[in-house]
Amino acid sequence: MVSKLIAIAAVVFVAGCGYVSKSEYLEHIKTIRVSPVEIQDADFAYDEASQRPYDEVIQEKLIQRFNRKWQDGNDSQFTLRVLDYNIKEHGFGPNGQVELLRISLQIEYEFLDRVRNNIIAESNNHVQIHDFYIVSNRGEPPETLPQAKGLLIDELIEDLYNQFAEQW
């Protein structure tokens, strides 16, 4: 009985070792060029926190994040366009006052493989959402709109990086 259990454990262990990460699916790409970000919604043009245009802020963050895997160069190209920015009331308190807001960015992107001359990924309708409280005592600390916009951008960059550079 013990030998059967050892044999089963060995098979499970060996089978588990057959796992291969998909993170090598772009191993032929060593460099990336992040194109200038285009913002098409005037309501999302300027970052109050950094006193800079959002197109510069987003492009800089994309470059910093993608440079963890790839160097600057022409093996691949990433293009991002912000199509729409939205903010709306999303949650209300017992007296009907707004407590939770939802901001969203609709973007389109294209990730090109210049080595093999094909499209790695593209979307013309990716939506990034960030919900945030504007009142205290709701399980999460309240955020200001500039803080929430910063977190929305950070979450977008992280999601895109994980989707392309750290595929599993």
Side-chain angles (χ1 to χ4, degrees):
M1 179 71 164
V2 173
S3 62
K4 278 188 173 181
L5 289 175
I6 292 173
I8 291 172
V11 167
V12 170
F13 178 75
V14 170
C17 291
Y19 166 77
V20 176
S21 166
K22 287 186 180 179
S23 63
E24 296 176 3
Y25 83 117
L26 295 177
E27 65 185 9
H28 65 284
I29 292 179
K30 306 293 183 217
T31 63
I32 188 169
R33 166 115 342 145
V34 176
S35 299
V37 173
E38 183 182 335
I39 309 277
Q40 293 184 345
D41 189 327
D43 293 333
F44 196 75
Y46 192 73
D47 179 18
E48 300 89 8
S50 70
Q51 302 292 308
R52 297 175 47 212
Y54 272 121
D55 57 350
E56 292 177 7
V57 171
I58 294 170
Q59 182 180 16
E60 181 179 287
K61 288 184 177 206
L62 280 167
I63 290 169
Q64 287 174 351
R65 188 65 173 116
F66 283 166
N67 279 350
R68 291 183 184 176
K69 181 167 181 123
W70 301 297
Q71 299 300 312
D72 186 38
N74 292 316
D75 289 352
S76 63
Q77 181 174 350
F78 186 79
T79 305
L80 183 136
R81 186 175 299 112
V82 175
L83 304 174
D84 189 38
Y85 164 75
N86 230 336
I87 181 169
K88 60 180 161 180
E89 300 167 344
H90 194 64
F92 301 89
N95 297 329
Q97 73 276 16
V98 176
E99 294 185 349
L100 183 70
L101 296 176
R102 170 171 282 180
I103 56 176
S104 63
L105 283 180
Q106 179 188 2
I107 67 164
E108 65 181 26
Y109 62 79
E110 184 177 61
F111 190 23
L112 300 174
D113 180 341
R114 297 276 187 214
V115 175
R116 295 185 178 161
N117 199 26
N118 63 5
I119 297 173
I120 297 167
E122 66 180 337
S123 175
N124 60 4
N125 191 27
H126 178 89
V127 178
Q128 189 74 32
I129 295 171
H130 179 75
D131 295 334
F132 64 102
Y133 286 100
I134 55 174
V135 296
S136 299
N137 300 321
R138 292 296 178 246
E140 295 179 25
E143 297 172 17
T144 65
L145 185 56
Q147 288 172 326
K149 286 179 177 179
L151 289 170
L152 176 70
I153 290 170
D154 291 345
E155 291 164 3
L156 172 66
I157 304 295
E158 191 64 24
D159 287 352
L160 290 171
Y161 178 82
N162 288 338
Q163 182 178 347
F164 304 132
E166 297 297 327
Q167 281 250 332
W168 297 97

